[in-house]
Amino acid sequence: MAGLKLPDGPQCRGCILQRSGRGFLTIDGQGTNGVMLIGEALGFNEALTGKPFVGPAGFLLRKVLKRHVKAERDDFWIANVLFCRPPGNKLQDTSYKYEAINQYRPHLDEALNQHRPKAIVALGDIAMERLLGRRGIEQCQNYAFWSDEYSTWVVPALHPSFIQRGNNKYQPILGLAIKKAIAIAEHGYTHEVPTTIHHPTSSEVAAWVAGYKAALRQDPATPLAFDIETNYKGARDESKLKQDQDPSFDILQISFAYGPDEGISMEWCASLKPAIQEALGTMGTKIVWNRSYDVPRILANGVPIRGDIRDSMIAWHALQSDLSKGLGFVTPLIPGNERVPMWKDQSNDDGGWFYSAMDSVMLWRNDRGIMHSLKQEGILTFYQQYVEQVRPVLDDMEGAGVLVDTEEQHRLVSTMEQEIDVLEESMQTLVPDQLKDLHPKKGYKRDPEDTVGMRQILVPNQTWTVCPVCQLKNPPTAHFKRYVAKRSLHKNTACSGM
């Protein structure tokens, strides 16, 4: 098998992957910083060497460590959930997933008990599920979870192989997760949970509103964060909510925060409506996450909103236009939120009161961090001029309707298309001919009759598929198939275990 050996660990006998798995992992690294990185399984290069993350995903991991973490690979212990390479390099959504993971559980447990890491980075959904019993890596990444089983903190993060597949925008986020684990190992860690007020009485709400108005008088720049809960909204990603998706304008709860340490969640009802109107009727800045969903529903329920309204989700988009805009996704990425616990999974606990209040507190914190970052990046003035100051004009236009000069609109579109064509042509002059797309994709096999506007370039044609086991060039599909004979449950071709 060209160097690819069968698994040979003490727990491999009787494993469902004993014959189809390849290689066996040896824990790598010195762990001088007290952090263990745990991935999914061995890849092809890893199966050859017995070392985790030495293939393409390992190259990306090393790059992230060097560029974003300022650390060396050897500073960590590195392991996997699965100690061999599964067939087809695939474990998720396979019939043998849980059986194989449980078979290798003693191997990983032994490594964890031996090294006693002060923090673990769970790379990918499989590692997170194995260590925490949770799924949904995109929602949990960069938060810290305590593991009772291993008496340590676990920070989930995206797997380098996922980032490698055209998701390079997540490299800095993986770096943040690893840096967070290093900080936990060095300084220890506790969650800092803001104070949340639930089920307040009318007098408690009135006292809270009075406190907000006093803070506003002391500092007129104090923003008020608000967030509503509806039957439809639930735990859905706020950034994906559309106004026309939910035909109901019924509001169940509303929450507020005017500082980083306290939020209040109250029922939307007639007895509390005057206090809600009083808070939203001040001239202070209001902040919301996805105003196109929350604001129309508040207005439709007869509560006007005065003062400027800033959509912090759009401000985040101005800062990081290629990343998700979900409130739960953004929160652990904002400086100052490193100790915030994951709360988005508690929408059904205690009627959602804690969840609702936390939404507003985290919104307030995120807005503060986003505004600071916009200023640091030198784009705060641009954002204010072209987003915040334009929004009231658009609101008026949306409410009153605007006449459109279609002829002028078409002329404008035509002019802009011409300018884009000129810009694209000028950009193409900077690209070497060898890197440009061919039309047709493989070029012309023989010279066309009309070559006007064409140039002839020589492109090396040396593309072929290679079997990673036996190095056969352009192997047929059958080369990798597994056959089942009448007298043998498994009868494999030489390279069928790939």
Side-chain angles (χ1 to χ4, degrees), residues 163-465:
I163 298 175
Q164 180 190 0
R165 296 192 294 269
N167 297 296
N168 284 313
K169 61 187 178 183
Y170 292 111
Q171 284 192 37
I173 298 177
L174 172 57
L176 276 177
I178 297 175
K179 288 171 69 175
K180 183 171 186 172
I182 294 174
I184 291 173
E186 185 175 352
H187 304 293
Y189 186 83
T190 56
H191 281 142
E192 293 180 355
V193 184
T195 301
T196 55
I197 304 172
H198 314 160
H199 306 86
T201 63
S202 297
S203 59
E204 289 174 329
V205 173
W208 191 92
V209 173
Y212 159 61
K213 294 175 74 174
L216 187 62
R217 286 192 297 271
Q218 184 176 358
D219 181 5
T222 301
L224 176 66
F226 66 91
D227 182 77
I228 65 170
E229 302 299 334
T230 67
N231 278 320
Y232 178 82
K233 189 176 182 180
R236 287 183 170 88
D237 184 343
E238 299 90 346
S239 65
K240 298 178 181 179
L241 292 172
K242 305 294 183 183
Q243 180 177 345
D244 55 357
Q245 285 180 329
D246 180 9
S248 170
F249 274 54
D250 294 335
I251 300 175
L252 302 178
Q253 299 167 354
I254 186 168
S255 61
F256 295 103
Y258 63 88
D261 302 317
E262 182 183 83
I264 186 171
S265 177
M266 63 192 74
E267 185 181 0
W268 185 279
C269 60
S271 62
L272 298 181
K273 196 170 182 179
I276 295 172
Q277 288 177 319
E278 186 178 359
L280 293 176
T282 61
M283 293 307 298
T285 299
K286 313 299 186 300
I287 52 178
V288 64
W289 202 269
N290 192 353
R291 62 173 288 163
S292 65
Y293 184 85
D294 288 35
V295 170
R297 282 161 176 76
I298 292 175
L299 298 178
N301 278 270
V303 177
I305 304 175
R306 301 178 67 193
D308 295 332
I309 304 175
R310 177 165 63 238
D311 192 335
S312 302
M313 183 183 76
I314 301 301
W316 166 258
H317 185 65
L319 183 66
Q320 297 285 354
S321 60
D322 58 343
L323 294 179
S324 170
K325 300 189 292 293
L327 183 63
F329 173 87
V330 174
T331 296
L333 309 183
I334 302 297
N337 289 344
E338 292 82 6
R339 293 182 179 272
V340 171
M342 172 68 171
W343 83 99
K344 280 294 188 179
D345 56 348
Q346 301 181 44
S347 61
N348 294 322
D349 297 350
D350 74 355
W353 295 100
F354 171 76
Y355 170 93
S356 176
M358 281 288 288
D359 273 357
S360 283
V361 178
M362 293 303 107
L363 164 57
W364 197 97
R365 286 189 175 201
N366 291 353
D367 181 81
R368 178 181 62 180
I370 292 167
M371 290 297 108
H372 179 72
S373 296
L374 287 172
K375 185 176 181 180
Q376 279 189 322
E377 296 293 328
I379 56 178
L380 178 60
T381 301
F382 173 87
Y383 166 76
Q384 291 172 331
Q385 289 179 347
Y386 292 96
V387 179
E388 287 192 355
Q389 295 175 15
V390 171
R391 184 69 217 198
V393 178
L394 297 178
D395 287 342
D396 291 341
M397 293 169 62
E398 184 178 345
V402 180
L403 295 175
V404 177
D405 186 334
T406 55
E407 291 185 4
E408 182 62 29
Q409 184 185 44
H410 292 157
R411 278 196 294 270
L412 177 62
V413 170
S414 178
T415 300
M416 293 180 68
E417 287 176 346
Q418 293 174 13
E419 291 177 353
I420 290 174
D421 290 340
V422 172
L423 180 61
E424 287 182 345
E425 289 181 6
S426 64
M427 292 171 63
Q428 286 298 318
T429 61
L430 304 176
V431 181
D433 288 340
Q434 288 79 6
L435 299 180
K436 292 179 180 178
D437 292 335
L438 296 178
H439 301 285
K441 286 187 176 182
K442 296 184 179 180
Y444 290 97
K445 293 183 178 179
R446 55 180 63 88
D447 292 343
E449 295 181 1
D450 184 6
T451 59
V452 176
M454 298 183 182
R455 282 181 295 173
Q456 186 178 32
I457 60 174
L458 297 177
V459 180
N461 184 17
Q462 297 180 354
T463 303
W464 54 71
T465 303

